[in-house]
Amino acid sequence: MEPQVLKDRVAIVTGASRGLGEGIARAFAREGATVVMFSRDIQRLQKHEEELKGSGHKAVAFKVDVSDGGQVMQAVQEVLKRFGRVDILVNNAAIGPSVLFVEISDQVRDQVIDVNIKGVWNCTRAVVPAMVKQRYGKIINISSVTGPYVSGKGMTVYSASKGAVSGLTRSLALEVAEHGINVNAICPGSFDTPMLRSVAKPRGWDSEDEYIKALGKDIPLGRLGTIDEMGDLAVFLASDHSRYITGTEIVIDGGNIIQEHK
């Protein structure tokens, strides 16, 4: 049996109730980490906690709205009190409504900014002092190919938010490198997640399954990514196998970004 690469590490994963965050939390737990799961959906988180503990893993659920700086700080302080350290932070929580620029309301715009940008800011600010003190840390920001590399109609505010996350990643990596902290971003393409399925109808599809199937046909590897594959990449960046990687973005999209669409 191969050794667990995250054994005895304490990891916070935001947006862990479903989708990519769920896959990352499961992968971290399998690799020996104590996984602290943040989400507004506490009932779903508690179900994940029970499942992980039932499999012999270490997990704990916290009801946290990452856009609320006070909630985030309180939760992180509780984690530090309970476990003594935070080694890994995955800023995954995000929302991605598909609304044309001329139709999007200020309220929806601000909601995306609050979760996708301020959420990353709040969580990172809460954990960095402890990481600096222990001279060790892994921060993984879940950005996207949408914004930093490509985009689509209806994704203006989402694209803007993910572009900001990528910029924050690079700058923060420079500031904390001297303290032994690695900061990187993952840029997923199309993954079969509840968020992606939620844009099927706004994009004119009656069936979510047919929408997912159609998206996969155009990808070089012939399918969408799975949340477990996202978990595998996050494990690598959270482990000491990536100790000389910082300030970078890793695209995981089945080769979709390298092809020319006509």
Side-chain angles (χ1 to χ4, degrees):
M1 185 176 179
E2 295 182 0
Q4 294 173 308
V5 298
L6 301 182
K7 184 174 174 58
D8 299 327
R9 298 297 188 192
V10 177
I12 294 174
V13 180
T14 72
S17 62
R18 54 178 49 82
L20 300 180
E22 179 183 345
I24 292 168
R26 289 198 315 224
F28 282 6
R30 286 194 300 267
E31 290 297 334
T34 296
V35 183
V36 181
M37 301 176 291
F38 284 6
S39 175
R40 292 177 293 187
D41 190 346
I42 189 62
Q43 291 183 331
R44 190 173 174 89
L45 276 192
Q46 288 173 337
K47 181 180 177 181
H48 292 334
E49 180 183 346
E50 291 174 4
E51 291 173 349
L52 289 171
K53 286 182 174 178
S55 300
H57 302 309
K58 301 172 185 177
V60 60
F62 278 78
K63 183 177 181 179
V64 179
D65 179 350
V66 297
S67 68
D68 185 325
Q71 278 190 37
V72 170
M73 189 63 70
Q74 184 176 1
V76 169
Q77 290 304 310
E78 178 61 29
V79 173
L80 290 170
K81 180 179 179 181
R82 191 180 302 189
F83 301 109
R85 58 192 295 118
V86 173
D87 301 295
I88 303 158
L89 168 66
V90 180
N91 284 308
N92 168 73
I95 56 176
S98 180
V99 186
L100 292 175
F101 179 79
V102 295
E103 298 174 0
I104 196 167
S105 67
D106 288 353
Q107 180 183 10
V108 172
R109 177 202 64 195
D110 291 347
Q111 286 174 343
V112 173
I113 291 172
D114 285 347
V115 175
N116 296 10
I117 302 177
K118 292 182 181 178
V120 173
W121 187 282
N122 290 338
C123 294
T124 304
R125 181 169 57 182
V127 305
V128 162
M131 289 182 173
V132 168
K133 186 176 181 179
Q134 67 197 26
R135 297 197 59 78
Y136 182 90
K138 300 279 189 174
I139 298 173
I140 304 169
N141 296 325
I142 307 303
S143 183
S144 178
V145 295
T146 304
Y149 296 96
V150 297
S151 197
K153 294 179 180 179
M155 303 307 291
T156 308
V157 67
Y158 180 83
S159 294
S161 72
K162 291 304 184 177
V165 169
S166 291
L168 184 153
T169 298
R170 287 187 287 272
S171 185
L172 182 65
L174 290 173
E175 292 189 22
V176 299
E178 65 186 274
H179 302 292
I181 302 170
N182 301 75
V183 187
N184 293 291
I186 297 175
C187 295
S190 296
F191 279 70
D192 189 355
T193 64
M195 179 185 289
L196 186 60
R197 286 175 173 266
S198 72
V199 302
K201 289 186 177 179
R203 292 179 177 176
W205 290 80
D206 293 328
S207 167
E208 292 180 359
D209 288 337
E210 289 301 316
Y211 175 64
I212 294 299
K213 189 182 297 183
L215 284 178
K217 288 180 180 178
D218 292 332
I219 293 172
L221 288 182
R223 61 177 177 82
L224 301 190
T226 69
I227 61 174
D228 291 330
E229 288 168 326
M230 172 60 72
D232 291 339
L233 177 54
V235 164
F236 168 70
L237 287 176
S239 75
D240 287 339
H241 294 314
S242 64
R243 57 187 174 272
Y244 199 58
I245 301 174
T246 198
T248 194
E249 295 175 325
I250 298 179
V251 172
I252 176 170
D253 73 342
N256 198 43
I257 201 173
I258 62 174
Q259 66 182 347
E260 182 176 359
H261 294 278
K262 296 182 180 179

